């Protein structure tokens, strides 16, 4: 979609652009799409700061209100702020019985932000730390997080990315604190608390090191951990940074098992992922694009056209998804531009 068309649509519908990321500034690729041993991220230009009178009303206190949502399954998506680079993924799962698992920790320079968010939620110790794959925008912040917080277990896939200083720093901190490591692969299951179950759908090899050559970024993403989380009648898919080729393989293998109420859009909502085949298989009611830089309008629209409510950390700020075991509810720190009328 051309920028001029989108601007006309927004003017037609009376939508204010101030305070939101300009949709025309789409990235061709995100951090882990770079074929480098340690992917570098580039930032999209940001709009001019809005005047205080036009600033959106923030719901930060509600997103981080621990008492209000006690007894529900909670997923907190953290908005890791940086105006120059993409900061990656970090989100916290809290079970109805109060167990916590951090899934990824963003880049190294925003690790302190993850610690601050955990502090806001009163998290003194993690019941589990989980890394989808060892790219810097998923693992980099863990060295800082694990300095500040203990963890009872560290889940990861089997790739030992020793060429990466971020990987070495994280594993050094895991070892220093004597945190047990658990290597996950297809078919494994584990519980978080008494009611929340995880089933591993990928990778399907015991030793990822044997199949990844030269630490190619696309290969590391291909072997991201993919898990399905189930709480009573609600289900959630967290697929890391898999690309369309891996999506197709998973659809062929698992079929309707991929159907879920919620999906974390693969690879930050980039065009490398979220193929029509994948979206048709998952058919999520709620989708989150986890990236401080909004990447691709077409991907967002692809989920919307299937009836999904789509949220983006880059557009909505911090995001809270809750489940009572039957239905989902979403609270965002701020509203974003309505894209449902844009074709």
């Amino acid at each position: 979609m051309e920028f001029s068309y989108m601007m006309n649509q927004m003017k037609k519908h009376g939508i204010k652009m101030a305070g939101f990321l300009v949709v025309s500034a789409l990235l061709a690729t995100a951090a882990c799409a770079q074929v480098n041993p340690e992917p570098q991220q580039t930032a999209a230009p940001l709009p001019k700061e809005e005047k205080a009178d036009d600033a959106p009303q923030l719901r930060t206190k509600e997103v981080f209100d621990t008492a209000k949502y006690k007894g529900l399954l909670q997923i907190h998506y953290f908005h890791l702020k940086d105006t120059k680079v993409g900061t990656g993924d970090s989100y916290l799962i809290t079970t109805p019985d109060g167990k916590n698992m951090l899934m990824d920790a963003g880049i190294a320079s925003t690790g302190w932000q993850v610690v601050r968010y955990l502090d806001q939620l009163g998290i003194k110790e993690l019941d589990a730390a989980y890394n989808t794959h060892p790219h810097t925008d998923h693992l980099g912040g863990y060295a800082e997080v694990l300095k500040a917080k203990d963890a009872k277990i560290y889940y990861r896939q089997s790739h030992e990315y020793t060429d990466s200083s971020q990987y070495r720093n994280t594993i050094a901190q895991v070892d220093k604190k004597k945190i047990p490591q658990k290597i996950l692969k297809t078919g494994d299951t584990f519980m978080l608390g008494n009611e929340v179950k995880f089933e591993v759908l990928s990778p399907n090899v015991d030793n990822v090191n044997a199949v990844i050559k030269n630490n190619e970024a696309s290969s590391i993403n291909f072997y991201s951990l993919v898990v399905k989380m189930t709480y009573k009648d609600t289900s959630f898919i967290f697929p890391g940074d898999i690309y369309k080729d891996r999506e197709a393989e998973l659809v062929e293998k698992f079929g309707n098992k991929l159907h879920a109420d919620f999906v974390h859009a693969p690879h930050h909502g980039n065009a490398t992922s979220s193929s029509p085949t994948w979206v048709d298989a998952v058919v999520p009611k709620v989708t989150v694009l986890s990236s401080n830089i909004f990447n691709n309008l077409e991907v967002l629209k692809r989920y919307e056209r299937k009836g999904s409510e789509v949220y983006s950390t880059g557009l909505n700020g911090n995001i809270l998804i809750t489940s009572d075991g039957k239905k989902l509810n979403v609270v965002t720190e701020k509203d974003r531009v309505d894209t449902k009328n844009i074709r």
Side-chain angles (χ1 to χ4, degrees):
M1 175 176 298
E2 294 183 359
F3 176 64
S4 59
Y5 174 79
M6 185 170 184
M7 288 298 294
N8 289 335
Q9 288 291 319
M10 291 178 174
K11 289 178 181 178
K12 178 180 177 181
H13 295 286
I15 301 172
K16 293 183 178 179
M17 276 295 293
F20 295 98
L21 298 175
V22 179
V23 178
S24 68
L26 302 177
L27 298 179
T29 55
C32 336
Q34 306 289 334
V35 184
N36 293 310
E38 295 192 41
Q40 300 297 313
Q41 303 196 11
T42 55
L46 298 175
K48 295 180 179 179
E49 293 184 5
E50 58 193 359
K51 297 178 181 179
D53 293 342
D54 295 329
Q57 198 71 23
L58 296 182
R59 295 179 288 270
T60 309
K61 289 185 178 179
E62 185 173 358
V63 171
F64 288 93
D65 189 335
T66 57
K68 183 174 182 179
Y69 302 103
K70 188 175 181 180
L72 299 175
L73 175 67
Q74 303 169 46
I75 308 170
H76 283 92
Y77 271 84
F78 298 143
H79 182 208
L80 305 180
K81 303 176 182 68
D82 192 298
T83 60
K84 295 181 180 179
V85 298
T87 55
D89 285 353
S90 186
Y91 43 106
L92 181 78
I93 296 174
T94 303
T95 67
D97 52 355
K99 303 300 182 183
N100 295 287
M101 180 166 73
L102 183 66
M103 299 183 76
D104 289 338
I107 61 175
S109 62
T110 56
W112 68 271
Q113 294 184 39
V114 179
V115 173
R116 183 190 63 187
Y117 287 136
L118 294 174
D119 287 343
Q120 282 184 256
L121 293 167
I123 307 298
K124 296 181 179 179
E125 179 184 44
L126 296 166
D127 293 285
Y130 173 107
N131 176 231
T132 56
H133 63 296
H135 272 159
T136 58
D137 57 332
H138 294 258
L139 166 133
Y142 261 129
E144 185 71 22
V145 170
L146 294 177
K147 284 180 184 177
K149 308 290 180 182
D150 289 333
K152 295 178 180 178
I153 192 167
Y154 182 71
Y155 291 118
R156 65 179 181 90
Q157 42 94 297
S158 61
H159 182 46
E160 295 174 349
Y161 193 6
T162 55
D163 286 349
S164 165
S165 61
Q166 307 297 323
Y167 175 85
R168 296 195 305 271
N169 291 343
T170 294
I171 296 302
Q173 195 62 40
V174 169
D175 291 342
K176 181 178 180 180
K177 287 200 168 182
K178 295 181 171 57
I179 300 170
Q181 296 185 53
K182 172 66 176 176
I183 307 299
L184 298 174
K185 64 181 186 304
T186 302
D188 289 341
T189 61
F190 63 95
M191 299 292 294
L192 185 64
N194 295 321
E195 298 180 281
V196 180
K197 179 181 178 180
F198 292 82
E199 180 179 358
V200 182
L201 306 181
S202 184
N204 60 346
V205 294
D206 292 332
N207 184 7
V208 176
N209 295 307
V211 293
I212 292 179
K213 307 299 182 184
N214 302 317
N215 288 319
E216 291 183 347
S218 58
S219 294
I220 294 174
N221 286 335
F222 184 93
Y223 289 105
S224 291
L225 280 171
V226 179
V227 292
K228 183 172 186 177
M229 180 179 79
T230 304
Y231 170 56
K232 294 184 178 179
D233 295 332
T234 54
S235 56
F236 309 74
I237 297 285
F238 301 99
D241 277 3
I242 62 171
Y243 291 174
K244 292 176 183 178
D245 53 353
R246 188 62 175 143
E247 291 174 354
E249 291 184 7
L250 293 177
V251 170
E252 182 177 358
K253 181 176 182 178
F254 293 108
N256 291 336
K257 191 171 188 174
L258 291 173
H259 184 82
D261 298 287
F262 170 92
V263 71
H264 171 106
H267 201 208
H268 314 282
N270 276 286
T272 57
S273 311
S274 295
S275 64
T277 299
W278 170 263
V279 176
D280 288 345
V282 181
V283 200
K285 296 175 183 175
V286 174
T287 302
V288 167
L289 282 60
S290 178
S291 176
N292 65 311
I293 299 171
F294 180 67
N295 291 307
N296 193 290
L297 179 61
E298 177 53 33
V299 168
L300 182 153
K301 292 298 300 176
R302 189 173 297 148
Y303 284 104
E304 279 193 337
R305 285 192 288 266
K306 293 299 294 185
S308 187
E309 294 291 330
V310 185
Y311 304 90
S312 163
T313 53
L315 302 177
N316 294 108
N318 291 291
I319 301 169
L320 170 64
I321 301 101
T322 63
S323 170
D324 60 2
K326 294 183 179 180
K327 63 180 185 298
L328 306 186
N329 184 61
V330 181
V331 180
T332 62
E333 190 171 26
K334 59 185 177 182
D335 296 325
R336 68 168 176 84
V337 172
D338 186 0
T339 53
K340 290 183 178 179
N341 293 322
I342 299 174
R343 302 299 178 187

